[in-house]
Amino acid sequence: MWSVKSPSFESGATFDLCADRINSAVLRAKMKGIRQEIVDLSTEYDAYAKLGKLYLVETHKKGIGAVGGADLIKNYTGRMVGKKMPARAIYDALKILPRNDRCPFCRYGTIETLDHVLPKESYPGLSVAPKNLVGSCNRCNKGKHAAAPTGPKDCAVHPYFDEIDDQRWLIAEIVETTPAAALFSVGITPGFHANLRARVLHQFDALDLAHLYSNVATEEIAGIAEELEEVFQAGGFADVAAHLDRKCRSRHKSGCNSWQAALYEAMASSSWYCKGGFRTS
């Protein structure tokens, strides 16, 4: 759910690279015959994506024109993903767009594949549309499922079109246990336009990010316990809070919604934690 620079590849040109690799002359001719429909569909997709209304794109599982859905999907699975295919260069270029090789849906996993924002099973005509393909980790790619959006609230947050990096929405809370734990959630963000918070919340839940972040936070908390004990022995509660605040500000520079930034802010704000709650036993 973090922004990624939008690709400049044209859908028509990408479609052509795939269609040209079809061995069957009959199928290749049929594929060429729907080229304009594919371009028009991609243009419609871009327009709705800018509005956050991809749910308005009609599903077409059976295919487009004389080309069935399964053959359209093969443009991706067989003619784009294949390492020796001309369109593979576009596949690889799309994979490196996310910053620091981090999945834009969770900002934790590394890029391992491309995710279809609108699933190819329901929208096979968009199987190789560059702006429907986003670098992703396998966990998020599988977690998004293949369901078509039914309305504005379950429409995916789109890394190429939705700008949510400038609004603080990820928050954490320290749980006063030994060792300490952290809970993550989506906060109230007045700056989001209508339905955007609902979409962020839906995707946060669908990808089970609260569970992911709590798990990795447990390891982070354990890893800094000795460091915080040394700070506490030297300067007490106030120095621990200041130390954590510095770490928070440092991590905010990589993004105000990183799980590390949210975690360190929560730790710095917790008097209980700074007064000794950081201890693991």
Side-chain angles (χ1 to χ4, degrees):
M1 292 188 284
W2 287 265
S3 297
V4 176
K5 182 181 179 181
S6 183
S8 58
F9 302 108
E10 294 181 356
S11 59
T14 305
F15 182 79
D16 289 341
L17 286 174
C18 296
D20 287 343
R21 301 298 294 184
I22 298 174
N23 292 325
S24 167
V26 174
L27 179 57
R28 187 166 63 250
K30 288 181 179 180
M31 199 73 75
K32 297 275 189 178
I34 65 166
R35 183 186 191 279
Q36 190 57 51
E37 291 176 79
I38 293 294
V39 172
D40 291 343
L41 177 62
S42 297
T43 300
E44 178 187 59
Y45 174 97
D46 292 354
Y48 282 136
K50 289 176 182 177
L51 299 173
K53 296 182 178 181
L54 281 178
Y55 60 91
L56 294 177
V57 178
E58 293 186 6
T59 59
H60 46 276
K61 294 181 180 181
K62 293 183 178 180
I64 294 178
V67 181
D71 284 320
L72 287 168
I73 290 174
K74 285 179 183 177
N75 279 336
Y76 177 76
T77 58
R79 306 174 194 116
M80 188 177 195
V81 177
K83 291 187 180 296
K84 295 184 179 180
M85 294 293 156
R88 175 68 190 211
I90 295 176
Y91 177 94
D92 290 336
L94 293 172
K95 281 183 68 177
I96 63 173
L97 285 178
R99 288 168 289 175
N100 303 320
D101 194 38
R102 290 294 167 184
C103 173
F105 298 106
C106 65
R107 207 172 188 174
Y108 177 74
T110 57
I111 303 300
E112 298 167 288
T113 186
L114 291 183
D115 177 77
H116 288 79
V117 178
L118 286 184
K120 60 184 182 297
E121 291 78 8
S122 296
Y123 306 86
L126 294 165
S127 291
V128 296
K131 292 182 182 178
N132 190 44
L133 296 167
V134 180
S136 167
C137 68
N138 284 330
R139 180 185 181 279
C140 288
N141 179 250
K142 294 175 182 178
K144 284 178 74 271
H145 304 298
T150 59
K153 292 185 179 180
D154 66 347
C155 189
V157 177
H158 203 311
Y160 295 149
F161 293 93
D162 291 310
E163 178 56 68
I164 63 173
D165 288 353
D166 59 350
Q167 298 287 330
R168 169 90 180 286
W169 54 267
L170 181 63
I171 59 174
E173 177 185 356
I174 296 300
V175 180
E176 297 180 4
T177 57
T178 303
L183 299 178
F184 292 81
S185 61
V186 176
I188 302 298
T189 309
F192 281 177
H193 60 70
N195 292 318
L196 183 55
R197 182 179 183 275
R199 292 166 58 206
V200 171
L201 184 58
H202 173 80
Q203 200 152 310
F204 186 84
D205 291 340
L207 297 178
D208 199 15
L209 295 185
H211 184 244
L212 171 65
Y213 295 158
S214 288
N215 277 349
V216 296
T218 297
E219 184 176 354
E220 186 82 3
I221 289 169
I224 64 171
E226 185 175 342
E227 173 187 339
L228 296 182
E229 184 64 53
E230 292 178 0
V231 174
F232 185 83
Q233 293 302 324
F237 156 76
D239 278 12
V240 172
H243 180 75
L244 291 170
D245 184 64
R246 286 192 297 271
K247 284 182 172 288
C248 172
R249 285 186 279 112
S250 176
R251 283 153 180 77
H252 264 297
K253 291 181 179 179
S254 66
C256 65
N257 291 300
S258 74
W259 67 267
Q260 296 100 325
L263 173 64
Y264 277 99
E265 182 172 46
M267 291 191 292
S269 301
S270 170
S271 296
W272 170 85
Y273 185 81
C274 294
K275 290 178 179 179
F278 55 81
R279 298 186 177 100
T280 56
S281 61

